[in-house]
Amino acid sequence: MTEPQSLAGSDDKAAAPAAKPAARAVPERPHPSIFHYPIDMCDVSDKASLEAFREKLQQWSELFERDPDASLAGQFADMMWFDIAWRTANEARQFAEDDGTRGSTAPLIAMMLDRGYLAGQVIAITRLLEKAPASQPKKAVISLPRIVDEMRAARELITRENFVCRDALPYDYEALQAAELERLAAEMAANPGKARRVSLSLSGPEGFDQARMEHELFDQLSGVAPENRARGDLIGEAFFDRLDELLARPPLPEIKALRNKSIAHAADAFSRAQTKGLRSGLTIHDLDRAHYLLFAVFQTLSVVLFGLWRASPVPVPQHNMFEHLTEPYLAEKRLEAMRGFWDRHIGEREGWMQDAFREVVPDKTAAKTAPPEGGA
């Protein structure tokens, strides 16, 4: 950053000392706050603790779905979209026995679909399971274990009062609930035949019913009975242990080993032998189970941290996904052109074998006998 120039000229002997460099600006958040009410309106005894907790929630919300390139929601959407795309293409092959040979059963296409699907799913699953050294921020990743680990580290901030009142819900909701029920009862008594629709606020200082549900959820997370509730209650360690246990269930470890030893890295025979239960492939059931376990953690974190229930794991199509599926892959008259392409491609690559070798080990004899540039 350059310093501000002095107003006095460079030849001015009485020039004032140069101004101190301006403080480095704090970069603005790329996304608006997820909170609607200021901290002053939140019914908590420790405002500083709530401020730190809200800062964590804001960071986690960006990892969950606001990062444009690698958010957890985006990773899950890609994984499940390509999963259903392959399964749909694979389903079409099942009709070949009754309908006759189709492009869907062409070996060239089937090989690309199957191997690409397997590799893509293994990479997608293991990205969601990845861990990075906490001491090396340059290697930080967006994954489920990262959120779980950061939550566990910030456990002292996730008190009952911060959890319930993070966005101005009332901590002591019973009085508001009783007052509202009394008001409705009086209104019904005054107008017994009048039809009415009751609406309850789900947010802010009037959201007593939402506060009730938040307390009940925290009862389960903390293991504290309703009659023993206290503002300083914490989420129990058992909750985090449960999430860790889900992320370690089969076939997730086997899928990680398959990636590390076969897909992402070509491990040698000795290295492969050190991995117990290393598989050469996966079944559809394995992938179903892996998706299920990942969604168990993802959905739980979404509800606990943001109160957001995700209804469907598969993205909604924005176009006709069956378009052109009934068309042949290639017109018969183009087969000769395709064979010509195949032969040209192979010939070019065969030429590489000579040229690439000479890139490393030049033929000095040939260089001496070659005519100078521009001709003899």
Side-chain angles (χ1 to χ4, degrees):
M1 181 183 293
T2 57
E3 295 184 358
Q5 293 183 347
S6 171
L7 294 177
S10 60
D11 59 346
D12 188 343
K13 304 299 184 185
K20 291 183 178 180
R24 186 181 297 274
V26 177
E28 294 184 3
R29 284 196 177 281
H31 307 288
S33 172
I34 62 174
F35 302 102
H36 302 92
Y37 296 89
I39 288 178
D40 288 346
M41 291 186 64
C42 298
D43 180 19
V44 298
S45 58
D46 188 342
K47 295 290 197 290
S49 173
L50 176 59
E51 183 175 13
F53 178 51
R54 290 193 6 163
E55 176 65 21
K56 286 291 185 184
L57 285 173
Q58 184 72 31
Q59 293 171 7
W60 293 331
S61 76
E62 292 172 8
L63 299 180
F64 251 74
E65 53 192 339
R66 295 184 171 201
D67 187 294
D69 301 314
S71 70
L72 287 173
Q75 290 185 59
F76 270 96
D78 282 347
M79 179 177 70
M80 299 310 293
W81 179 257
F82 285 105
D83 176 67
I84 195 174
W86 177 84
R87 289 172 189 251
T88 302
N90 187 56
E91 190 69 17
R93 302 182 206 176
Q94 314 307 315
F95 302 116
E97 186 173 340
D98 294 331
D99 299 343
T101 303
R102 291 290 186 273
S104 60
T105 60
L108 192 66
I109 305 303
M111 178 269 294
M112 289 192 301
L113 285 175
D114 296 346
R115 293 187 65 176
Y117 170 70
L118 176 62
Q121 288 297 302
V122 167
I123 290 171
I125 289 167
T126 52
R127 284 176 71 192
L128 289 165
L129 293 170
E130 197 169 3
K131 282 198 173 190
S135 60
Q136 300 182 52
K138 288 185 178 181
K139 295 184 178 181
V141 295
I142 299 178
S143 67
L144 293 172
R146 173 180 176 175
I147 302 294
V148 175
D149 289 347
E150 290 187 3
M151 280 185 69
R152 191 192 288 269
R155 179 169 170 262
E156 295 298 321
L157 296 176
I158 315 177
T159 61
R160 181 185 291 273
E161 66 172 3
N162 284 347
F163 185 86
V164 173
C165 308
R166 69 185 86 173
D167 206 14
L169 287 176
Y171 183 86
D172 297 313
Y173 63 89
E174 294 93 340
L176 289 172
Q177 185 178 47
E180 178 65 12
L181 291 175
E182 185 177 341
R183 184 191 68 78
L184 289 173
E187 184 179 315
M188 293 176 67
N191 301 281
K194 180 181 177 181
R196 57 183 51 78
R197 188 171 72 180
V198 178
S199 61
L200 300 177
S201 175
L202 298 178
S203 63
E206 303 301 319
F208 61 84
D209 199 53
Q210 185 65 29
R212 175 188 61 78
M213 291 188 288
E214 295 290 339
H215 270 291
E216 291 174 354
L217 175 57
F218 203 84
D219 291 343
Q220 295 175 289
L221 298 175
S222 63
V224 175
E227 62 271 18
N228 296 325
R229 290 172 181 169
R231 286 178 173 267
D233 292 339
L234 297 175
I235 292 179
E237 287 284 358
F239 170 73
F240 302 107
D241 293 341
R242 176 68 166 165
L243 296 178
D244 287 339
E245 187 264 329
L246 286 169
L247 293 176
R249 281 190 188 179
L252 297 179
E254 291 85 350
I255 293 175
K256 289 168 69 174
L258 183 62
R259 172 187 171 162
N260 293 334
K261 300 300 182 181
S262 300
I263 292 179
H265 308 286
D268 65 16
F270 177 80
S271 178
R272 295 195 303 272
Q274 310 312 303
T275 304
K276 293 181 179 179
L278 181 62
R279 303 185 184 188
S280 59
L282 297 170
T283 67
I284 291 298
H285 176 72
D286 290 330
L287 294 173
D288 285 343
R289 185 61 180 164
H291 293 162
Y292 177 88
L293 292 169
L294 293 174
F295 269 108
V297 177
F298 184 58
Q299 180 80 307
T300 300
L301 293 175
S302 181
V303 172
V304 170
L305 292 176
F306 312 111
L308 180 59
W309 182 269
R310 298 172 187 271
S312 175
V314 181
V316 177
Q318 302 301 309
H319 57 275
N320 178 9
M321 57 282 190
F322 301 120
E323 188 175 9
H324 304 312
L325 275 183
T326 58
E327 304 297 329
Y329 192 81
L330 183 73
E332 188 172 355
K333 65 181 180 180
R334 304 296 183 192
L335 283 177
E336 265 321 297
M338 293 298 291
R339 290 192 181 97
F341 167 81
W342 183 280
D343 292 340
R344 288 193 305 274
H345 183 84
I346 291 176
E348 183 182 71
R349 267 58 183 175
E350 287 175 347
W352 285 2
M353 306 307 287
Q354 168 83 11
D355 299 340
F357 176 76
R358 290 305 175 196
E359 185 81 18
V360 181
V361 185
D363 187 343
K364 295 181 179 180
T365 303
K368 288 180 180 179
T369 59
E373 204 170 311

